[in-house]
Structure formats: C-alpha cells, structure tokens
C-alpha cells in the first residue's frame, strides 16, 4: 500500500501498489529462440580483432578510448581524424 498525504491536513489516503494494478505477465517460453544463421562471408569478430589491432599496445588502446569518449561528448570530427591517424601509426 502507498500512503498519499493530503497537504498539511494530516489526512492519509491509502492506494494500492502500482504492480497490483497491472495484470500478471505471461510465462516465459520454455525453449529460447534459435539465433539467426550468420550470413556467409562475414568473419567472426574475435578472429578479426587481432588482425585489425596489429601492434597496438595498451597505451595506444587507452589513448584511442579517451579520444573516442571525447568525440562522443563533444561531437568534434577532428577527434575522429586524430583517432584514424593514431590507428594507422
């Protein structure tokens, strides 16, 4: 129950909880749906990632992460150019 107070009068109105007003959810399906098959020609990311990363060290990854977060906050496209230059070095 929820107590709803009416100003400085001291009167209390008791209301039912919001979940009491909603109908119960239907039961979840027993078997999870099967994932869609992967289209041919698209490589797995965990196999492709080491090839893309090349010789990047931890410091380089941290710098790229910081630049990406700064881009997300400001929307400045120059930060994307800096990230691309850092990735190619």
């Amino acid at each position: 129950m929820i107590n709803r107070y009416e100003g400085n009068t001291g009167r209390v109105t008791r209301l039912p909880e919001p979940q009491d007003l909603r109908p119960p959810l239907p039961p979840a399906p027993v078997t999870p749906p099967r994932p869609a098959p992967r289209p041919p020609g698209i490589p797995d990311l965990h196999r492709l990632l080491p090839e893309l990363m090349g010789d990047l060290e931890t410091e380089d990854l941290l710098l790229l992460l910081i630049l990406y977060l700064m881009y997300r906050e400001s929307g400045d496209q120059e930060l994307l150019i800096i990230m691309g230059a850092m990735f190619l070095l």
Side-chain angles (χ1 to χ4, degrees):
M1 297 297 282
I2 296 175
N3 294 332
R4 185 172 138 197
Y5 296 96
E6 299 177 12
N8 291 331
T9 62
R11 293 183 192 158
V12 177
T13 306
R14 298 191 190 280
L15 302 172
E17 292 283 336
Q19 68 243 10
D20 294 342
L21 300 175
R22 285 187 253 149
L25 296 175
V30 177
T31 57
R34 293 181 53 188
R38 191 179 302 256
I42 297 178
D44 291 330
L45 184 59
H46 69 277
R47 293 181 189 158
L48 186 62
L49 194 58
E51 295 174 16
L52 289 176
M53 303 252 303
D55 295 330
L56 291 179
E57 297 176 358
T58 306
E59 296 85 13
D60 298 331
L61 294 174
L62 285 174
L63 181 60
L64 286 173
L65 177 67
I66 290 170
L67 288 172
Y68 173 71
L69 292 175
M70 288 174 58
Y71 164 73
R72 274 189 46 191
E73 185 175 317
S74 67
D76 188 10
Q77 291 183 353
E78 290 180 4
L79 292 171
L80 286 178
I81 296 170
I82 295 171
M83 280 178 58
M86 281 296 301
F87 193 69
L88 293 175
L89 286 180

